[in-house]
């Protein structure tokens, strides 16, 4: 399976972001605010799964969160979460704590970029 270089992925895909803004219209800001408030919750769910060494919980939490990241145009965060999803599916949690630490840093960067774009 392809493992894209994280440095080549933008925190926010501006084209996707603009397209979503056009499609969502007046509901766009609410969608982004909902995503922003959900990010810490999702990261905590991933942390809990890792702490419990619960691969199935990690897989399911990551799968849901990955979709959200992809939908709003956050490809770098989506890729990190995809890697956590894969670790859960394959039941190989060895590097999951490190991946989650990276995801937290990228999530902070992504959230800052979203706030900036909302104005």
């Amino acid at each position: 399976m392809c493992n894209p270089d994280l440095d080549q992925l933008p925190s926010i895909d501006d084209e996707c972001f603009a397209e979503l803004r056009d499609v969502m219209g007046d509901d766009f800001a609410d969608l982004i605010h909902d995503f922003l408030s959900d990010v810490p919750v999702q990261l905590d769910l991933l942390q809990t799964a890792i702490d419990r060494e619960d691969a199935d919980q990690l897989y399911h939490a990551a799968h849901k969160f990955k979709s959200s990241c992809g939908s709003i145009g956050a490809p770098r965060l989506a890729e990190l979460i995809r890697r956590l999803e894969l670790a859960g599916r394959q039941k190989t949690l060895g590097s999951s704590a490190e991946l989650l630490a990276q995801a937290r840093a990228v999530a902070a960067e992504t959230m800052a970029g979203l706030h900036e774009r909302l104005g």
Side-chain angles (χ1 to χ4, degrees), residues 12-55:
I12 299 171
D13 179 332
D14 287 318
E15 186 176 314
C16 179
F17 188 82
E19 191 174 306
L20 184 61
R21 177 177 276 163
D22 290 345
V23 169
M24 294 297 297
D26 293 340
D27 295 327
F28 177 75
D30 289 340
L31 175 74
I32 298 302
H33 286 296
D34 288 347
F35 176 80
L36 289 169
S37 60
D38 194 46
V39 168
V41 173
Q42 295 304 315
L43 292 171
D44 286 347
L45 288 172
L46 295 169
Q47 184 68 60
T48 299
I50 291 168
D51 291 346
R52 293 180 180 165
E53 298 181 2
D54 187 334

Side-chain angles (χ1 to χ4, degrees), residues 48-102:
T48 299
I50 291 168
D51 291 346
R52 293 180 180 165
E53 298 181 2
D54 187 334
D56 290 333
Q57 182 183 357
L58 179 62
Y59 168 74
H60 290 292
H63 182 73
K64 177 183 175 232
F65 189 29
K66 177 190 73 175
S67 296
S68 297
C69 295
S71 295
I72 61 115
R76 188 178 301 165
L77 184 56
E79 173 57 23
L80 281 166
I81 302 304
R82 184 195 69 78
R83 293 177 187 185
L84 283 165
E85 176 190 31
L86 185 61
R89 185 175 17 174
Q90 294 178 341
K91 301 188 185 327
T92 55
L93 303 184
S95 64
S96 57
E98 181 182 320
L99 283 171
L100 183 56
Q102 283 182 277

